[in-house]
Amino acid sequence: MLLRGSGPWLVVVGNCNDPAREEEFNRWYDSVHVPDVVGTPGVVNAQRYTCVHQRYGKGQYLAVYELDTHDFKKLDEDLRAMREGEAARGQYTTLLSAPLNGIYAPIGAEQKSARAARSTPKALLVVFANCKDPARDAEFNRWYDTVHIPNVLQARGLLTARRYTCVHQRHGKGQYLAIYELDIEDAQQFERDMQAMSKEEAARGQRTDLIEVAVSGVYRPLGKRQGRGGR
């Protein structure tokens, strides 16, 4: 369930503008939009997720597309042409808003908790974050990798963690992305555990004033992965 391989990935945080038309929105996304995006040169496959517990910001849905291109300017042009084609066919929708949309590549190695080998992931904790002070970016990343992630992985239900950096921002601002695999049943209990972890981190003087969280939530897969070329 966690993103594997060297990437890059196009990651889109999306919301439905009209809750009364959410079924229509998801039908369009799954049967029209995702196939159109996957049919775009440079896009390999897609997996959608739905937010079951929003922590920060607003990210009702998440779409992750695996890419096999590093020509992001050309990809932008092809995606724009794809959207224009949808509009010309009368298949575009005004229901989608995408406040955060970028291309991400992994940084550092995957970190695992002691439970990872004996548990099956059921959901993802997704965190889009920014460093408030660009001059202290190295300090921020050192804290995230060597202090924060090891602390988070001590919480119940946390299995693995991996961080990503934005190599091409398309909309919004999400400099870094952290994805954690979870084996949890109760999102509210998970939130209480995360709050307790955060308090312990602060009590040990291990918090930082550099982190700015844009969107964070617990996501579960929505439908099956769609892909091309047998992948």
Side-chain angles (χ1 to χ4, degrees):
M1 192 183 297
L2 185 60
L3 305 186
R4 304 295 180 183
S6 59
W9 291 272
L10 169 61
V11 184
V12 180
V13 174
N15 297 298
C16 177
N17 293 328
D18 185 350
R21 299 171 64 188
E22 192 167 3
E23 183 178 346
E24 174 191 345
F25 170 80
N26 281 303
R27 186 166 58 248
W28 166 81
Y29 217 125
D30 290 334
S31 63
V32 176
H33 190 60
V34 167
D36 283 346
V37 176
V38 172
T40 302
V43 183
V44 178
N45 58 52
Q47 175 67 60
R48 292 186 67 213
Y49 300 85
T50 183
C51 186
V52 295
H53 177 65
Q54 195 74 57
R55 305 187 71 234
Y56 301 101
K58 184 182 179 185
Q60 188 178 5
Y61 296 100
L62 189 71
V64 180
Y65 302 88
E66 182 183 2
L67 306 179
D68 61 3
T69 180
H70 287 82
D71 189 345
F72 304 136
K73 181 178 180 181
K74 178 64 164 54
L75 179 63
D76 277 346
E77 293 171 353
D78 290 340
L79 289 173
R80 183 166 51 251
M82 178 277 296
R83 290 194 302 272
E84 291 172 352
E86 283 185 343
R89 298 191 304 268
Q91 292 184 316
Y92 198 67
T93 183
T94 59
L95 292 175
L96 173 64
S97 62
L100 208 161
N101 181 340
I103 296 174
Y104 290 81
I107 52 174
E110 179 183 75
Q111 298 189 47
K112 298 182 179 182
S113 72
R115 297 173 294 276
R118 60 179 185 272
S119 300
T120 301
K122 297 184 176 68
L124 301 178
L125 169 61
V126 177
V127 182
F128 291 89
N130 299 294
C131 176
K132 292 180 180 179
D133 185 351
R136 297 170 65 191
D137 197 58
E139 174 190 344
F140 172 78
N141 282 299
R142 187 165 54 250
W143 168 81
Y144 218 124
D145 291 335
T146 65
V147 176
H148 188 60
I149 283 183
N151 285 342
V152 173
L153 287 176
Q154 296 304 308
R156 284 183 294 182
L158 267 293
L159 303 180
T160 69
R162 191 160 192 185
R163 295 185 64 219
Y164 303 81
T165 184
C166 186
V167 294
H168 180 64
Q169 195 75 63
R170 303 185 72 234
H171 300 291
K173 184 185 178 185
Q175 185 181 7
Y176 295 105
L177 169 63
I179 298 183
Y180 305 82
E181 286 183 318
L182 308 178
D183 179 14
I184 64 168
E185 299 293 343
D186 186 343
Q188 298 302 320
Q189 180 59 54
F190 168 73
E191 181 62 29
R192 288 191 289 271
D193 291 341
M194 289 295 290
Q195 290 176 0
M197 179 280 301
S198 183
K199 289 179 181 178
E200 291 174 4
E201 196 173 62
R204 293 194 297 267
Q206 293 181 324
R207 292 295 292 172
T208 181
D209 60 344
L210 292 174
I211 190 168
E212 174 189 69
V213 177
V215 174
S216 175
V218 176
Y219 290 81
R220 295 189 189 275
L222 183 65
K224 296 180 180 180
R225 186 176 72 170
Q226 298 188 45
R228 60 171 171 83
R231 295 181 65 174

